[in-house]
Amino acid sequence: MKPAWSQVKLRVAFGDVPEFGDELRIESTGRRYQVIGVRGRTLTCLVLPREAEVTGRVLPWQWCSRRRRARA
């Protein structure tokens, strides 16, 4: 896990792509990310500390496995 205020890259596997400034929140862990860049389905985000204030939409986020496909 990265410390607060670190940059991370996340990928949208399904659903709508969040916009710049939106907050992603993982309900099970309470971990929070603020979207600071969007390129296609790849998001650049800041890891937020619990006490950080964010103005923008708060969206639920969940992890999914990275399915690696075998080469044909």
Side-chain angles (χ1 to χ4, degrees):
M1 269 183 144
K2 297 257 187 172
W5 303 115
S6 298
Q7 280 192 18
V8 295
K9 293 211 177 200
L10 303 176
R11 181 145 175 90
V12 178
F14 54 88
D16 296 329
V17 176
E19 297 176 7
F20 181 88
D22 287 348
E23 179 183 327
L24 308 175
R25 184 173 295 169
I26 301 174
E27 297 299 326
S28 61
T29 62
R31 195 79 167 162
R32 299 167 51 205
Y33 302 92
Q34 183 176 21
V35 179
I36 59 170
V38 179
R39 179 173 249 176
R41 298 186 74 78
T42 301
L43 309 174
T44 302
C45 301
L46 281 178
V47 178
L48 296 174
R50 292 189 189 271
E51 66 277 357
E53 298 276 335
V54 175
T55 58
R57 294 185 305 168
V58 177
L59 306 170
W61 185 261
Q62 69 182 56
W63 296 109
C64 68
S65 64
R66 291 176 82 179
R67 294 183 200 152
R68 302 211 178 225
R69 297 182 181 165
R71 293 184 184 179

